[in-house]
Amino acid sequence: MSNELTKSKSGQVSNTPAFAKPITITGVNYTHFKMRESTVDDMFDAEMELARTGGGVHTPLIFNGEMMTRQLLQVSNSQGGTFDGPFTMNMLKSWGPRNYRALRNKQAELDLLGEVELSDQEES
């Protein structure tokens, strides 16, 4: 499966990069994920959710996790199985540090591409 990005109406979307190790949701293993570019709404929603528990942008691991739950579109496996969410913080916690890093790396890549695209538009 390709690890490149495609452009959709809602911005950049990852093309099913792999988890570091399979994750399990309701007894089904998944090995790949799709994640979309973040929006300002995602950032506001994540920060408001964290404000209820004393977190926020000053707690970057948790903030980025909240963002991931909003940006994840789907997880899939080689048997054609998919799960389209909703994704929760408890799910992310159960997937382990290596998978958190795989998601965080893709999240950062999508953020950077969005910033590059924005700067390209400003130069035009």
Side-chain angles (χ1 to χ4, degrees):
M1 292 188 178
S2 173
N3 196 18
E4 296 176 11
L5 301 173
T6 59
K7 183 76 173 175
S8 73
K9 289 180 183 178
S10 61
Q12 300 283 349
V13 177
S14 64
N15 284 338
T16 60
F19 284 107
K21 62 181 197 171
I23 62 154
T24 303
I25 301 173
T26 60
V28 178
N29 289 332
Y30 298 98
T31 54
H32 291 80
F33 63 92
K34 279 188 182 179
M35 180 181 273
R36 66 169 172 76
E37 191 173 14
S38 66
T39 66
V40 174
D41 282 345
D42 293 331
M43 291 185 273
F44 288 161
D45 290 345
E47 194 167 328
M48 286 189 293
E49 180 67 30
L50 290 173
R52 294 185 190 117
T53 60
V57 294
H58 63 281
T59 55
L61 288 174
I62 301 168
F63 178 78
N64 289 325
E66 281 289 343
M67 291 291 291
M68 288 173 201
T69 66
R70 289 156 175 78
Q71 292 175 262
L72 274 170
L73 299 174
Q74 182 183 78
V75 294
S76 61
N77 60 34
S78 61
Q79 294 79 38
T82 61
F83 178 81
D84 299 323
F87 298 95
T88 67
M89 286 295 284
N90 283 335
M91 287 177 175
L92 288 179
K93 290 176 190 178
S94 73
W95 297 347
R98 290 175 48 207
N99 284 328
Y100 178 93
R101 282 191 299 276
L103 291 165
R104 182 65 188 114
N105 289 341
K106 185 53 64 180
Q107 187 182 49
E109 181 183 344
L110 286 164
D111 287 346
L112 180 61
L113 287 171
E115 290 175 14
V116 168
E117 185 176 277
L118 183 59
S119 68
D120 289 344
Q121 291 173 0
E122 290 172 353
E123 291 175 9
S124 301

